[in-house]
Amino acid sequence: FSKNEYLYMSNPKENNVYFEFVIINVDANKEIFKSDMVPPDKALPVNLYDLLGSGITNIKVLVNTYDIETMEPCTQFNNDNIKVTIK
């Protein structure tokens, strides 16, 4: 990734839940981003350079899901050990 590149986090249109995205800097054990609720068929651009600066960083992406009608939490998914290079 570079300064002007974005990671697009999307919620597929087939879903019937909201997504909330959380990015954790694994190296610093710190949450660096938490999105608002993303409805189905929408995408959220995230500039990793703005969040992390340049270099190589290990991140974890969590996806929390919430029922559209009740806003009750449903499930949490995560991807461990994602290594990103930012120029």
Side-chain angles (χ1 to χ4, degrees):
F1 289 92
S2 65
K3 282 185 180 184
N4 298 320
E5 289 183 295
Y6 291 85
L7 172 66
Y8 285 87
M9 297 191 215
S10 63
N11 186 351
K13 67 180 176 181
E14 299 82 17
N15 281 344
N16 59 356
V17 295
Y18 286 110
F19 278 7
E20 174 188 63
F21 295 97
V22 179
I23 300 175
I24 297 176
N25 179 333
V26 174
D27 298 329
N29 195 28
K30 181 179 177 186
E31 181 180 297
I32 58 169
F33 176 82
K34 187 173 190 176
S35 74
D36 292 331
M37 298 295 173
V38 179
D41 201 27
K42 297 293 180 192
L44 177 69
V46 177
N47 186 316
L48 292 178
Y49 182 87
D50 289 347
L51 296 173
L52 297 168
S54 63
I56 297 173
T57 306
N58 293 302
I59 63 171
K60 179 190 291 189
V61 178
L62 305 175
V63 181
N64 300 313
T65 63
Y66 296 87
D67 184 273
I68 286 180
E69 294 180 16
T70 66
M71 296 302 291
E72 291 293 319
C74 299
T75 310
Q76 182 183 75
F77 302 96
N78 71 69
N79 290 313
D80 290 335
N81 302 319
I82 299 170
K83 186 173 285 194
V84 293
T85 301
I86 302 170
K87 301 175 187 177

